[in-house]
Amino acid sequence: MAAGVLLVGGGFAAANAATTTGTKAATHYPVDKRATGTAAVVSAANAFLNTLDAAQQSATVLDFSKANATAWSNLPCAGTCRPGIDFGSLSDEQLAAAESVLKVALGSGKDTGYDHVMQTILADDVLASAETTSSGAPAPSSTATGTATSTAAPTDVPTGTPPSGGTGGGPGGFAYGSGYYYLAFLGTPSKTGTWQLHFGGHHLAVNITFKNGKVAGASPFFSGVEPTSWTADDGTTYEPMAEFRDGMLALTGSLTTGQLAKAKLSQSFGDVLLGPGSDGEFPATKEGLKVSELSPKQQKLVLAAIHPWVADVDDATAKALMKTYAKELKDTYISYSGGTGLDTNGDYVRIDGPSVWVEFICQTGVVYRDKVHYHTVYRDHTRDYGSEFSFS
């Protein structure tokens, strides 16, 4: 296993990583510490690049091509399935600069955005620790939720070949831990051009596309977690996807018997439909219960359920996207398969609108086989990758 990355005092610290690259950066990028909004993201990205040597810059700044943009995964396949520079290779200074990029680019809400991403990374360190102690570990604490009632094979099994800029991973490309999260800038960060902040690792894919100084797309955004909750040695309890799950539970819990019958899907699901490699594959026909048939209070619950995924991006962009989704709400559909408790393998909920698409599913745990873990994805029918690519 490569060196892990620990969250210390709200920032990254490298465990056994090099303390300096010892090489002057090949290119110096302009930094404006007074910048705000998306310009601040560009400045933070440039500040990070200025900490890197020539080889590291080359691994980080890549072409904004369809191949690179779509090279994201929910799998623990390190750099065999995603481009960019791995956190495990960075010094403390470089990790702090990388953290600054994420903090500026992601939402500031509690347990959403930046906070959620950091907790997701911590969860992978829990998995890394469990893997070193036992191949069939029990739940890490009494706070872990959900029961796996199916022996169906989990889908978190790494496959594929390295994308452009991929650096490879551990044995077989299979690796848990915070050192195996990758940051790439697809295209040169700019206030006028088009580029993408591409960040992810196991159970996480952040794809934010910037065009002419504005966010043109905040999706696809994949978020999952295993274990769903745990208590750290200092007594802190983490539950990275509680906001996501609870919003869906509040929505489905508000439905009447008749509404549940309309929302029920005939098929069952083993994973999200529109995960990695499924770009543009939105179903031609919307299914389930149309939101226009819900009460005003229930309609507000639909928006509340959508929000945690949209809050991945900066607050101003998230607010604008939520306004769009609210305008389209009456033509949005909700549906589910399995149960509505989101605590059993196969429990699945979907929100499908003219623009917004959100899926949430429970799967049997991979490491903690007696528990479920979560897979979710947020997409936008027209804004994925900033609408830069065609998938028809």
Side-chain angles (χ1 to χ4, degrees):
M1 298 291 290
V5 180
L6 309 176
L7 285 172
V8 178
F12 288 115
N16 301 318
T19 57
T20 180
T21 64
T23 303
K24 185 178 180 179
T27 302
H28 181 79
Y29 293 85
V31 174
D32 181 1
K33 294 183 179 180
R34 296 173 298 177
T36 59
T38 56
V41 181
V42 174
S43 183
N46 287 346
F48 170 63
L49 290 172
N50 288 340
T51 70
L52 306 181
D53 64 32
Q56 290 174 314
Q57 286 185 350
S58 295
T60 304
V61 182
L62 306 168
D63 291 339
F64 185 25
S65 64
K66 181 188 284 190
N68 282 337
T70 60
W72 55 270
S73 180
N74 62 279
L75 301 174
C77 45
T80 65
C81 62
R82 53 183 62 90
I85 191 165
D86 60 297
F87 277 6
S89 69
L90 301 180
S91 69
D92 288 353
E93 176 193 7
Q94 292 166 337
L95 285 166
E99 177 193 21
S100 294
V101 177
L102 298 175
K103 196 164 190 176
V104 173
L106 302 177
S108 63
K110 185 179 184 299
D111 295 329
T112 61
Y114 173 77
D115 195 11
H116 167 70
V117 165
M118 294 299 101
Q119 291 186 46
T120 302
I121 295 173
L122 283 176
D124 223 45
D125 278 333
V126 174
L127 285 184
S129 177
E131 280 281 280
T132 62
T133 57
S134 172
S135 60
S141 76
S142 60
T143 63
T145 58
T147 302
T149 60
S150 171
T151 57
T155 60
D156 283 2
V157 181
T159 59
T161 56
S164 173
T167 58
F174 187 98
Y176 295 124
S178 52
Y180 294 108
Y181 283 74
Y182 290 73
L183 177 62
F185 304 135
L186 307 184
T188 302
S190 168
K191 292 182 287 185
T192 57
T194 301
W195 65 285
Q196 184 187 101
L197 191 161
H198 191 96
F199 176 72
H202 180 222
H203 279 156
L204 182 66
V206 175
N207 299 284
I208 304 175
T209 305
F210 299 85
K211 187 172 184 177
N212 296 326
K214 297 181 179 180
V215 174
S219 57
F221 171 47
F222 186 100
S223 182
V225 70
E226 182 183 7
T228 58
S229 66
W230 73 95
T231 299
D233 291 341
D234 65 359
T236 302
T237 296
Y238 295 93
E239 196 170 5
M241 297 208 69
E243 292 278 343
F244 300 72
R245 179 201 62 215
D246 292 350
M248 289 296 200
L249 288 176
L251 171 58
T252 57
S254 76
L255 301 180
T256 66
T257 301
Q259 290 171 333
L260 284 169
K262 286 187 176 182
K264 182 80 170 182
L265 297 169
S266 59
Q267 65 267 51
S268 59
F269 298 86
D271 204 345
V272 295
L273 278 181
L274 299 186
S278 298
D279 298 297
E281 298 179 8
F282 297 97
T285 303
K286 298 188 185 303
E287 298 180 276
L289 175 64
K290 198 171 184 180
V291 175
S292 60
E293 299 181 39
L294 300 180
S295 69
K297 183 177 180 179
Q298 289 174 314
Q299 291 182 20
K300 289 182 179 179
L301 290 176
V302 177
L303 288 175
I306 293 169
H307 183 261
W309 284 272
V310 179
D312 166 62
V313 75
D314 70 272
D315 298 346
T317 302
K319 185 177 181 180
L321 284 168
M322 289 302 300
K323 284 185 177 179
T324 296
Y325 299 154
K327 290 178 181 178
E328 300 173 342
L329 193 61
K330 291 187 177 180
D331 292 318
T332 298
Y333 288 73
I334 59 174
S335 57
Y336 75 99
S337 180
T340 58
L342 297 180
D343 57 3
T344 302
N345 183 72
D347 285 0
Y348 172 89
V349 182
R350 179 196 304 170
I351 301 174
D352 182 15
S355 296
V356 71
W357 171 279
V358 174
E359 296 178 84
F360 189 118
I361 193 167
C362 296
Q363 291 187 331
T364 300
V366 176
V367 176
Y368 302 107
R369 296 285 290 172
D370 60 335
K371 299 293 179 181
V372 295
H373 78 290
Y374 304 145
H375 277 192
T376 80
V377 70
Y378 157 57
R379 287 184 178 266
D380 189 294
H381 285 261
T382 62
R383 297 173 181 84
D384 277 3
Y385 308 107
S387 307
E388 287 294 311
F389 308 113
S390 173
F391 298 101
S392 59

